[in-house]
Amino acid sequence: MSAGALALFTRDLRVRDNPVLTAAHREGATVLPLFVLDDAILAGCPPNRAYFLVAALRELDDELREIGGRLVVRRGDVVEEVARVAAETSAAVVHIAADVSAYSRARERRLRERLAADGRELRVHPASLTVVAPGEILPSDRDHFAVFTPYHRRWLEADRRPALRAPRELRLPRIAAGSLPAPDDLTAEPPSPGLSVGGETTARKMLRDWLAGAVAEYSRTGDDLAADATSHLSPYLHFGCLSPGELVRRVDDGTEFVRQLAWRDFHHQVLAARPGAAWHDYRDRAIRWRTDAQAVTAWTEGRTGFPIVDAGMRQLREQGWMHNRARLITASFLAKSLRVDWRVGARHFRYWLVDADMANNQLNWQWVAGTGNDTRPNRVLNPLRQAERYDPDGAYVRRWVPELAGIEGRAVHRPWRLDSVDYPAPIIEVPGM
Ligand code: FAD
């Protein structure tokens, strides 16, 4: 009989369409589903992601129990814990999803070396966290695509791996499961009041509703701030509660929604090739950033005097999430209008966003700041024009900025023109005031 296998979950917290779990199940006499609460990651884990993670682990454990398994949890140094558990259960092979950040690449290298020293193997599964694995499609002259449109064309034609069902039944080796963490074990701070609940079970309900309804209208309503009609699936994709491969299989290729998922893969393949782009300019444009602590505080607190910017920044704190159009407006305001370094904004977003993702957050910030993959790096999103176009009646502003809730229509976007309104004065001037 073959030896046991260990399925090491990282940010692929699901049983369906999971190459790691499926391979461990197919190849091992027993399967050990393991999650390590990695001290190196948790040391800086903000409350929203900590709460979401705890809920996602709980739902993963429930899903595993449905098929005869359970989630084994350890805490400490991920490499040491995996090596210890693999030895304890005589697992010959450890399966893990390929990932792209510098940290995850180093983790993979360390794990491979440590396991090899014990006579064990690490098997890395590509296309677990993305639809198309980073590096699988390449232009003729370099190691990644720097421009989205040609990438998207090739992405649509690329081979995709077949769908994988959840294993029917798991056989676990004998081992103490360890207890699932509570939020307090990971953070002392409270989460955003409107934070979504993590997990595969929750994600599947959301997916069902999404596919049955709003996805059909996405190309028309995706940018409408007040309609709030995007999928809200980003945290579930970030933690892998949903497989991006499954999502694209269930939606037509030509749709705007699938194009957004291609953007997600695009940023992953950029970061895989340039891990340093997480904190260094992807393209050096010799921008001289301004230091302005007061303006940054006004921006983070949603008190810039521009209601559309303030609404986005307040949604971020209230929900741990922000509409994509608001992310574009608020990021452009900081990096282009205030000319503050994109890293300042990216750090703030990383603290609050439950979907905060090295590839998507950092490279979207660079895209907006003009140091990244935008082919028009000098574009500036004027907050007033953006407000008129994407929140024409002001309903998004009224939802998130209660001080302005009594002002009707688009007048809400220029409170400085109204006598009776007590609202912070705009911190800068922009065209069209
Ligand atoms: P939908 O509109 O329903 O799109 C479906 C999925 O496509 C999303 O869940 C997401 O996985 C992917 N997607 C959509 N737009 C993008 C995009 N521009 N780039 C990459 N993937 C995309 N997304 C994150 O997942 N994590 C982040 O940390 C993040 N930070 C961002 C920072 C800035 C400054 C900007 C401008 C965008 C950022 N985005 C990030 C991209 C995008 O705003 C979110 O993915 C989206 O708003 C999530 O909402 P949704 O799930 O309803 O998206």
Side-chain angles (χ1 to χ4, degrees):
M1 193 161 71
S2 59
L6 192 156
L8 178 60
F9 288 91
T10 51
R11 53 186 194 101
D12 51 345
L13 304 179
R14 62 178 185 271
V15 300
R16 295 169 189 79
D17 201 40
N18 186 332
V20 168
L21 183 62
T22 299
H25 171 63
R26 279 192 190 144
E27 294 170 24
T30 56
V31 181
L32 184 84
L34 176 69
F35 186 84
V36 179
L37 296 160
D38 182 347
D39 281 339
I41 294 178
L42 294 175
C45 184
N48 286 339
R49 268 178 286 147
Y51 272 77
F52 194 94
L53 172 66
V54 166
L57 292 176
R58 209 158 281 279
E59 291 197 359
L60 177 61
D61 185 48
D62 290 344
E63 295 279 352
L64 286 165
R65 282 171 193 264
E66 295 265 314
I67 50 174
R70 66 188 298 188
L71 186 64
V72 173
V73 178
R74 294 288 182 271
R75 179 163 190 165
D77 173 72
V78 62
V79 174
E80 289 311 315
E81 292 305 318
V82 170
R84 200 189 329 267
V85 170
E88 215 181 310
T89 57
S90 309
V93 183
V94 173
H95 297 266
I96 187 174
D99 205 342
V100 295
S101 69
Y103 179 80
S104 57
R105 305 273 287 277
R107 173 178 65 196
E108 186 186 310
R109 201 170 47 245
R110 286 176 58 221
L111 267 172
R112 180 174 290 109
E113 286 167 9
R114 180 71 169 80
L115 291 169
D118 293 348
R120 301 181 209 286
E121 187 193 339
L122 180 73
R123 206 166 303 156
V124 181
H125 296 270
S128 295
L129 309 183
T130 50
V131 180
V132 173
E136 195 174 312
I137 48 176
L138 292 173
S140 55
D141 56 345
R142 57 190 301 177
D143 61 354
H144 69 289
F145 279 91
V147 176
F148 177 72
T149 308
Y151 175 78
H152 184 216
R153 223 175 290 129
R154 290 279 300 282
W155 184 88
L156 286 170
E157 293 162 1
D159 288 339
R160 295 180 188 165
R161 66 168 174 76
L164 303 169
R165 286 171 177 279
R168 267 182 213 285
E169 186 159 17
L170 295 177
R171 272 195 59 212
L172 260 64
R174 279 179 175 282
I175 187 166
S179 47
L180 292 171
D184 301 354
D185 299 333
L186 309 187
T187 180
E189 289 165 60
S192 293
L195 183 71
S196 47
V197 175
E200 181 175 15
T201 321
T202 306
R204 298 204 74 76
K205 281 195 209 112
M206 289 177 62
L207 178 61
R208 265 197 303 278
D209 291 349
W210 173 247
L211 294 178
V215 69
E217 298 294 311
Y218 183 79
S219 59
R220 197 173 56 77
T221 55
D223 254 333
D224 179 339
L225 280 161
D228 194 18
T230 64
S231 70
H232 288 247
L233 291 174
S234 52
Y236 302 89
L237 285 164
H238 172 68
F239 283 92
C241 308
L242 267 187
S243 148
E246 181 189 351
L247 258 184
V248 298
R249 265 180 244 119
R250 297 181 66 174
V251 184
D252 285 346
D253 257 353
T255 59
E256 185 56 30
F257 181 67
V258 168
R259 191 164 168 275
Q260 297 309 310
L261 292 164
W263 268 110
R264 182 175 178 276
D265 276 16
F266 173 76
H267 292 312
H268 277 76
Q269 58 96 44
V270 173
L271 193 65
R274 298 283 181 278
W279 295 108
H280 300 288
D281 290 353
Y282 176 81
R283 291 186 207 282
D284 181 8
R285 302 216 187 262
I287 299 174
R288 292 182 53 183
W289 303 109
R290 285 177 58 240
T291 305
D292 186 341
Q294 253 184 331
V296 171
T297 304
W299 179 79
T300 60
E301 292 178 353
R303 289 187 296 97
T304 65
F306 291 90
I308 196 72
V309 174
D310 297 347
M313 297 307 291
R314 296 190 198 188
Q315 180 178 24
L316 177 63
R317 285 179 187 241
E318 284 292 310
Q319 295 195 322
W321 185 89
M322 204 199 291
H323 192 286
N324 178 59
R325 179 50 54 181
R327 296 188 203 205
L328 289 165
I329 295 170
T330 53
S332 174
F333 188 80
L334 187 81
K336 288 281 176 60
S337 303
L338 294 174
R339 301 194 63 74
V340 168
D341 194 330
W342 64 268
R343 280 157 278 249
V344 173
R347 215 169 273 123
H348 182 74
F349 271 33
R350 277 185 66 70
Y351 181 85
W352 288 99
L353 279 178
V354 62
D355 63 24
D357 190 295
M358 267 301 177
N360 289 341
N361 190 53
Q362 311 306 95
L363 294 172
N364 269 298
W365 266 99
Q366 294 227 41
W367 190 91
V368 174
T371 57
N373 305 91
D374 190 358
T375 47
R376 287 172 50 206
N378 296 326
R379 83 172 93 202
V380 180
L381 302 183
N382 177 307
L384 297 174
R385 282 196 213 112
Q386 292 282 310
E388 273 153 19
R389 183 152 176 209
Y390 299 110
D391 186 29
D393 300 322
Y396 177 74
V397 163
R398 279 189 292 279
R399 187 175 308 150
W400 294 109
V401 186
E403 308 94 286
L404 302 177
I407 301 170
E408 284 179 18
R410 60 177 53 197
V412 78
H413 294 308
R414 291 183 176 79
W416 54 87
R417 288 190 181 169
L418 305 168
D419 290 338
S420 55
V421 177
D422 181 20
Y423 196 70
I427 59 172
I428 49 168
E429 282 195 20
V430 304
M433 290 180 76

